[in-house]
Amino acid sequence: MGMGRAGSYCPGAERLVSPPPLLSFLALIALASRVHIGECQVPTPQCRIQKCTTDFVSLTSHFNPSLDGFDTEFCKALRAYSACTHRTSKSCRGNLVFHSAMLGISDLMSQRNCSKDGPTSSTHPETVAEPCNFHSRHHGGGRDLRTGVEHPQPIYLFCGLFGDPHLRTFKDHFQTCKVEGAWPLIDNNYLSVQVTNVPVVPGSSATATNKITIIFKPYQDCTDQKVYQAVTDDLPKAFVDGTISGGDSEARSLWIMEKAVGRHVEIHARYIGATVIVRQVGRYLTLAVRMPEELAVAYDETQDLQLCMNGCPTAERIDEGGYLPLPVLGIHQLGHQHQRQHHHTHQPHHSAASTPHRGFSLESATAKCEEQLQAKDIYFHSCVFDLLTTGDANFTSAAYSALQDLEALHPQKERWHIYPRDSSSAPSWASHAPLLGLQLLLGFLSAAFL
C-alpha cells in the first residue's frame, strides 16, 4: 500500500506491526534504532523516533524480568517511551518505524497491565551516570534490575579544625594540639589540605590557624589542578588562578561559593563528593571538610602524616585523652598540693598555659560560651579553654561556627556531640561551684601543670 511521498519501506520494520514478545520487541527496536537515512528514508529531520527508541533500549536493555520490581520499572520506561513518541508524532507522520513502535508500546503496556498515567523513567542516558558527579558515578542508590543488588550509599567522613586549635578527625576523635607551623590535614590522591598555625599568646603552647592551602588534584575530564589559599584578612572567592570553577562550568564539577564576603567560603567538589568550608572568625581561620571514605583512604605510606586521618602526634597534644587543662588562676598551685599529698611521680610531657588570660575568669568564660553553645559538649569545653587562654571573645564564635559546620556536613546526627569520658551532660565545673568541680579534674590536671 502506498504511503505517499513521505512514506518509506524499511525491511524488517513491518514485523513490529504485530507486536512480538518482550525480548523480540527489544531486539527489533534495537535494530530500528540503527536505521539511518539512506537505509530507511525518514520523512523530516525533526522526526525523533530513533532517539526515543535508543533511549528506551539504553534504559531497559539490562532489565531482568525475573526480579521483583521489574514490572513497575518497565511500565515507567514504557510510559516514558510513549511520551517521547507523542512529542515527535507530528513530525513522524507516515513513518512506518514510528507507527510500529506505537503499536508495540500499546501491546506491551497491555501485556504488563501498565496504566497510561503514572510515573515515568528518565529516558536520558546521560542522567543515569554523570562522570563528574561522585554520587551518581559510584553510588546512585536504589536497586540494579540486572543483578538485584542494592547500591550502597557512600560513607562520608568529617574533619574540622578551629580555635587553639581543636581538631576533630575523620574517626571522630577530638584533640587539642600545638602543631605550630605548617601541617598537612589531608593528603590523599584527590585532595590535599595544609594549615599553618601560629602562637596565640606568649607563655602558652596553644596556637591558631592563620593560613589554609587546599589543592584539588586533576581528575579525568572533570577538572585540572586547582589551588585555593586563604590567609588572615584575605579569604578569596576564587582559586589562585582567578577562576571560580574547575572543568566544564555547566557540569559544576568543582566550584566556589562566597557565603559572606571575606568571612565564609564554601567549595563544592562534586566529582569527588567533597565539600570544604573555610571561615575567618576574629583573626584566625576555621576549616570543615566532608568527603567519601573510599577517597579519603586512597593514599600510600609516604602520605601517612595527615592530622585528619591519624590525629596529632603525641608530642603535639595539649589535651589528655580529650580533657583540656583549663588554665584557671590558682589551679596549678592546687595541683601541686594534690601531687604532694598523693606522692605523684608522673611528669608531664608538655605544658599548657598555666594561668588564665586576664580577660576572663572561669565563671565569665563559662557564661560567655553559654550565650551561643547550649550543649555542654567538647565544643563548649573548647570555647572555655580558648577564652581562658587568649581572652579573645571571638573564639566563642569560632566554636559556634565550627558546630554549625559540623551539623551541615557530618553525616551522623547522633555523633554530633562529643562529651568527655564518663560525662553525658554538662561538665562538673560548669554545673557546680568552681572549686568543687575543678577538684574532680585534679588527677588529670596534676599531670598537665608544672
Side-chain angles (χ1 to χ4, degrees), residues 313-324:
T314 302
E316 297 293 327
R317 297 280 294 272
I318 291 177
D319 66 297
E320 291 277 358
Y323 285 99
L324 288 170

Side-chain angles (χ1 to χ4, degrees), residues 83-119:
C84 185
T85 60
H86 279 90
R87 285 194 296 270
T88 193
S89 60
K90 290 183 179 180
S91 302
C92 293
R93 292 175 181 174
N95 186 316
L96 183 57
V97 175
F98 170 78
H99 290 285
S100 298
M102 289 190 66
L103 288 171
I105 292 169
S106 177
D107 188 69
L108 281 173
M109 291 186 75
S110 177
Q111 291 178 26
R112 296 286 167 178
N113 293 321
C114 299
S115 61
K116 292 184 178 181
D117 298 321

Side-chain angles (χ1 to χ4, degrees), residues 359-381:
F360 285 93
S361 64
L362 176 60
E363 292 81 2
S364 61
T366 299
K368 183 66 177 177
C369 292
E370 285 177 339
E371 292 178 4
Q372 296 192 56
L373 299 163
Q374 302 302 314
K376 301 303 190 295
D377 62 0
I378 197 65
Y379 289 86
F380 180 86
H381 285 251

Side-chain angles (χ1 to χ4, degrees), residues 214-351:
I214 306 168
I215 301 175
F216 296 90
K217 300 178 182 180
Y219 183 83
Q220 298 178 0
D221 295 327
C222 300
T223 183
D224 52 0
Q225 179 167 292
K226 290 292 181 179
V227 180
Y228 180 82
Q229 189 168 90
V231 296
T232 296
D233 295 333
D234 184 12
L235 196 67
K237 59 181 178 180
F239 296 107
V240 295
D241 62 3
T243 62
I244 61 172
S245 64
D248 184 352
S249 59
E250 292 185 1
R252 292 177 69 81
S253 59
L254 174 65
W255 78 97
I256 295 179
M257 295 177 59
E258 185 178 55
K259 307 290 284 189
V261 178
R263 289 292 179 266
H264 182 185
V265 167
E266 293 184 3
I267 307 175
H268 298 270
R270 293 177 70 213
Y271 71 101
I272 55 172
T275 301
V276 182
I277 299 177
V278 182
R279 297 177 186 259
Q280 177 171 333
V281 184
R283 298 289 302 162
Y284 303 103
L285 306 176
T286 72
L287 179 82
V289 179
R290 165 185 161 127
M291 72 179 303
E293 180 182 39
E294 64 188 85
L295 303 189
V297 299
Y299 61 91
D300 58 39
E301 63 276 3
T302 66
Q303 302 166 291
D304 62 344
L305 182 59
Q306 301 183 54
L307 303 191
C308 280
M309 182 61 66
N310 300 315
C312 298
T314 302
E316 297 293 327
R317 297 280 294 272
I318 291 177
D319 66 297
E320 291 277 358
Y323 285 99
L324 288 170
L326 298 177
V328 181
L329 185 62
I331 190 62
H332 54 294
Q333 290 93 343
L334 194 57
H336 278 304
Q337 181 181 3
H338 183 272
Q339 280 184 308
R340 288 195 300 271
Q341 290 175 347
H342 293 81
H343 305 289
H344 282 280
T345 59
H346 175 72
Q347 296 298 318
H349 58 269
H350 58 71
S351 62

Side-chain angles (χ1 to χ4, degrees), residues 1 43 62 106 108 122 156 180 191 199 280 291 297 344 387 393 427:
M1 181 175 64
H62 63 282
S106 177
L108 281 173
S122 171
Y156 286 95
E180 183 177 348
L191 178 68
Q280 177 171 333
M291 72 179 303
V297 299
H344 282 280
L387 295 190

